[in-house]
Amino acid sequence: DSGVTQTPKHLITATGQRVTLRCSPRSGDLSVYWYQQSLDQGLQFLIQYYNGEERAKGNILERFSAQQFPDLHSELNLSSLELGDSALYFCASSVIGDSNQPQHFGDGTRLSIL
Amino acid sequence: GENVEQHPSTLSVQEGDSAVIKCTYSDSASNYFPWYKQELGKGPQLIIDIRSNVGEKKDQRIAVTLNKTAKHFSLHITETQPEDSAVYFCAAKMDSSYKLIFGSGTRLLVRP
């Protein structure tokens, strides 16, 4: 158990809808990262937050947004969903965000768009 | 930008044999190289990592080697066991960057 908690485990919805994925980092970790894993693109970095502030952006679509709350949990919001958004979404956390500290991953949320 | 290539994509070995997975990175500024194991239905689990000031690191049956000149690093698993069967990912990170760049993964099957 990595200590990173993601909910829900599975999410099934339709095109055009909006969903929110939730992540609680390991106790003591200040930084949260979101990754997307799909069969054709592998593991892709989306966005990072550190102590409530956005730190880095990767290949995140404008339809997607995220935030980190004062209690350090994070939410990833996906809107106007398309079939191609079906993927596994992982959250990872690390102690701090600007050094080579290990990132520990949760078990992900599997998003299926029908 | 940074790119990480991983080979092979699939690897089948007999229980007790060794397994080697190789990765090549493009950006010479990369200085942190973790390896993750992902089992079905689970998230990637960090199994070992190495920093650029070290050439080799070992943890029981798992070892990682780094060749900075050639810009490649490898995962070595000795005395493989069926429970080692999983998908393994290498990754690279530059000190100035906040994100991990992942390889495409290697599906390891250990035959009993």
Side-chain angles (χ1 to χ4, degrees):
Chain A
D1 183 8
S2 68
V4 178
T5 303
Q6 289 188 248
T7 57
K9 291 189 182 303
H10 303 279
L11 205 46
I12 302 174
T13 189
T15 55
Q17 295 300 303
R18 182 179 188 275
V19 297
T20 297
L21 313 183
R22 182 188 169 103
C23 169
S24 294
R26 293 190 321 160
S27 176
D29 285 0
L30 298 179
S31 195
V32 170
Y33 310 77
W34 286 97
Y35 290 85
Q36 180 191 58
Q37 186 177 41
S38 60
L39 283 175
D40 57 343
Q41 294 291 319
L43 269 162
Q44 298 282 323
F45 169 74
L46 295 178
I47 197 165
Q48 180 208 0
Y49 279 81
Y50 174 67
N51 206 20
E53 295 189 2
E54 182 184 305
R55 177 64 67 90
K57 263 187 175 181
N59 302 321
I60 188 167
L61 300 173
E62 286 191 8
R63 300 184 286 108
F64 296 180
S65 65
Q67 54 185 327
Q68 185 179 28
F69 296 86
D71 67 353
L72 300 177
H73 91 271
S74 179
E75 293 181 355
L76 179 66
N77 301 295
L78 315 177
S79 62
S80 303
L81 287 168
E82 302 175 358
L83 292 176
D85 298 328
S86 294
L88 275 165
Y89 291 85
F90 288 104
C91 168
S93 71
S94 66
V95 175
I96 55 179
D98 56 0
S99 71
N100 295 329
Q101 293 294 316
Q103 295 182 23
H104 298 274
F105 283 73
D107 285 338
T109 293
R110 180 176 294 278
L111 176 62
S112 299
I113 313 299
L114 304 180
Chain B
E2 173 71 283
N3 183 50
V4 177
E5 293 190 0
Q6 183 172 347
H7 299 282
S9 57
T10 59
L11 181 59
S12 179
V13 300
Q14 194 70 38
E15 181 177 0
D17 288 349
S18 295
V20 180
I21 302 170
K22 299 181 179 181
C23 289
T24 303
Y25 59 98
S26 60
D27 196 319
S28 56
S30 296
N31 58 3
Y32 175 64
F33 307 93
W35 284 89
Y36 287 85
K37 173 185 181 182
Q38 187 175 20
E39 297 175 313
L40 196 61
K42 298 286 188 181
Q45 175 194 4
L46 180 69
I47 55 173
I48 196 167
D49 58 8
I50 191 168
R51 290 166 175 78
S52 60
N53 58 345
V54 175
E56 183 174 359
K57 184 177 179 181
K58 190 174 182 180
D59 182 4
Q60 299 182 354
R61 296 186 296 109
I62 294 174
V64 57
T65 58
L66 172 65
N67 183 328
K68 288 179 60 180
T69 303
K71 292 191 286 188
H72 66 70
F73 56 112
S74 300
L75 178 71
H76 305 254
I77 306 175
T78 58
E79 300 173 18
T80 53
Q81 302 167 3
E83 50 265 38
D84 294 330
S85 296
V87 179
Y88 290 81
F89 291 94
C90 63
K93 179 180 175 292
M94 294 183 292
D95 197 37
S96 60
S97 171
Y98 303 108
K99 62 180 180 180
L100 290 172
I101 305 298
F102 282 87
S104 53
T106 296
R107 184 172 301 276
L108 173 64
L109 174 64
V110 180
R111 307 186 306 274

